[in-house]
Amino acid sequence: MSTHLHETTPFDADPQGWFGGPVEGFGGKFMPEALMRALDELDSGWQEAKADPGFVAEFDAILRDYANLPSPLYHAERLSERLGVRVLLKREDLNHTGAHKIRNVLGQALLTKRMGKTRVIAETGAGQHGVASATAAAYFGLDCTVYMGAVDTRRQALNVARMQLLGAEVVPVESGSATLKDAINEALRDWVASVETTAYLFGTAAGPHPFPTLVRDLTRGIGDEARAQCLEQYGVLPDAIAACVGGGSNAIGLFTAFLEDQDVAIYGFEAGGDGFETGRHAATIKAGDAGVLHGARTYVLQDEDGQTIESHSISAGLDYPGVGPQHAWLAKSGRASYLPVTDTEAMDAMALLSRTEGIIPAIESAHALAGGLRIAEQLRAEKGPEATLLINLSGRGDKDMGTAMEWFGLGESAGSDEGEQ
Amino acid sequence: MSVSTAFDKARAEGRAALVGYLPAGFPDVEGGIEIITAMAEAGCDVIEIGLPYSDPVMDGPTIQAAAQQALDGGVRTRDVLRTVEAVAATGVPTLVMTYWNPVERYGVDRFAADLAAAGGAGLITPDITPDYGQAWSAAADAHGLDKVFLVAPSSTDERIELTTSASRGFVYATAVMGVTGAREATSDLAGPLVERTRRFAPDDLPVAVGLGVSNGDQAAAVASYADGVIVGSAFVRCVLDHPGDRPGAVAAVRALAAELADGVRRG
Ligand SMILES: Cc1ncc(COP(=O)(O)O)c(C=O)c1O
């Protein structure tokens, strides 16, 4: 599983954290001096840990026995029939706590233990990373504080309750737009004051070096597993792979194993919100400009003066105006393609998968599916029914039932225009 | 004009320099100019003008509130430069304190050129360090601007050496581990940090201490071991406490500046 932790690729960051170099590329470490030592220690601590067979074996055992990994690679036969190509789903929705996020937090929390810190903090949007962090903290006996935008604590009350039941303190963040980016700001403010005792479990493959690399290493099991499973079960590599991109952890986790397979087309799907033309979206790579947000140079949704613009998506997990710097570089260098998917397309895909396969996906993952439907058409035209499309189903949709009820008019709200619950 | 003239003058008078901060556009652009000018007239030796930013990760609630108010009021980067021009005209050296993205967006060299043309002394950059600030260093050198980088209690000796050798004007010692905001007691991390910083800093680079000072006694305490005392949130508080009352805000700011100026002379 995680035995690939220490492997490198030609697409890795340099020791300063630059993907593609400091001039043309993305990444780096644009952070207050007060945090630089902690970031350097995290970097060297991680280099040591991932080279330590004992650490790797412990991580593998926890993933296997506690998190239910490796996740299956599932041939979605009815969907395949419908689309005319072979569709394989990487079932991260079956992981403990319901998404790929558990891989990242168990790894970072194990590293926290190793580095002798006693408290963890995290930011969360939809609450998935917060729940995963609270879970890992409970598992390892660490104190845990989760910052969550006040708007999101109201939208995702169920996940707030889960975190609290797991023993975490949830702090609603009222500043700025009171969503994910502000939760990150507040977590960073906590960290500046608490860095001696506290590790910041960053929730996605973004932020200052070494987080994009650390989170990539911890989530690359998705692709390492999927690549081996695909070869073993079908004797071929996929023709195309697809994932949704918020900050980019599930996507880079899938992509890494395939980066050097030049015949595998790589697609990332960003949240197109109300539609790219409306300006109400989170399609950072497509619409953003290079800039610095949360410690890295990357693509950022920003105005003429470099102020961050609020993003919009029906999916809280993709509702972020930045993106991990490695994705920015993969886009710029052309190795991967990034395209927006609207709220409507994603919700249609959510319904389609639910009804054809009996799998209710997270709305984030439904963006990957919706994008996959487009690629399938193209693949079928080019390669016929033998074509293989591998989609990362990053999480399950339980957390999204409130949104689904409103959108589709389900449950008690059936028939009501307002969709009140 | 480099801030070094102000530090030289204070040093010649055997005291620390008083550095006062307020964001531009707060409570609005014209009001900000009037209030900051009052700070300069009432005893600040150096002025820092904040460039309001949407994601101020190093700031506590007070400065966040001010920046948000300025942004809600529609402040633009060019308004910040206009504020610099007006304040620098008083003869008090004026720096801009800014998170990095607005500078990168404006164009690093263009920003440096326009700041110099406005009479600004340079930049304080809380979220870039010299190892990631080469573009800024080059532009600052080309336009003769001060480069104020920060050191913190958590900085290693190697990083303090790196930072002080890259700084010009002064080096900013953040005396507590935490975000900006007034504090009851001054930090016991400050003295040792200043001492460690002096060990690595070039002789002529002043060390100024920031974060938390809000009254004359605290200013005097910090002035006893530092070359400069930086006060931000307390000035912001004066303005927040006088909503819609410009004369009240100006009077409060003047009174605070006078008290602090007295403090740095007692230290
Ligand atoms: C199920 C699921 N998929 C994807 C994401 C997006 O994050 P990332 O881009 O880091 O994978 C989230 C974030 O909350 C999520 O919960």
Side-chain angles (χ1 to χ4, degrees), chain A residues 114-130:
Chain A
R114 181 187 166 98
M115 294 179 67
K117 298 193 174 182
T118 55
R119 174 175 177 260
V120 294
I121 55 174
E123 84 291 346
T124 197
Q128 282 309 100
H129 175 61

Side-chain angles (χ1 to χ4, degrees), chain A residues 16 29-34 36-37 175 181 185 189 192-193 289 291-292 297 302-308, chain B residues 52-59 64 76-77 101-102 104-105 126-129 132 150 154-156 159 177:
Chain A
Q16 282 70 48
K29 192 161 44 174
F30 294 81
M31 274 279 120
E33 171 62 22
M36 291 304 256
R37 190 174 80 193
S175 60
K181 84 172 175 66
N185 294 343
R189 290 178 188 123
V192 172
D289 295 293
V292 170
R297 175 171 298 118
Q302 53 181 314
D303 71 12
E304 268 178 76
D305 279 357
Q307 308 289 348
T308 311
Chain B
Y53 176 55
S54 52
D55 295 278
V57 297
M58 278 298 281
D59 286 308
Q64 279 179 52
R76 304 287 312 266
T77 300
N101 196 49
E104 187 156 312
R105 183 67 171 172
D127 66 348
I128 51 168
T129 50
Y132 290 87
L150 286 72
S154 59
S155 300
T156 58
R159 292 201 58 86
M177 289 300 286

Side-chain angles (χ1 to χ4, degrees), chain A residues 92-93 98-101 104 124-130 159 180 203-206 215 219 222 243-253 269 315-319 323-324 327 361-366 392-397 399-400:
Chain A
E92 293 291 297
D93 59 312
H100 70 287
K101 303 270 181 191
N104 176 34
T124 197
Q128 282 309 100
H129 175 61
N159 269 345
L180 178 57
T204 188
V215 176
T219 51
I222 301 168
C244 65
V245 182
S249 66
N250 89 91
I252 205 67
F269 292 100
S315 141
L318 304 183
D319 201 351
V323 67
H327 289 294
I363 299 175
E364 290 82 9
S365 319
N392 192 30
L393 207 65
S394 56
R396 59 177 175 248
K399 70 182 175 57
D400 295 318

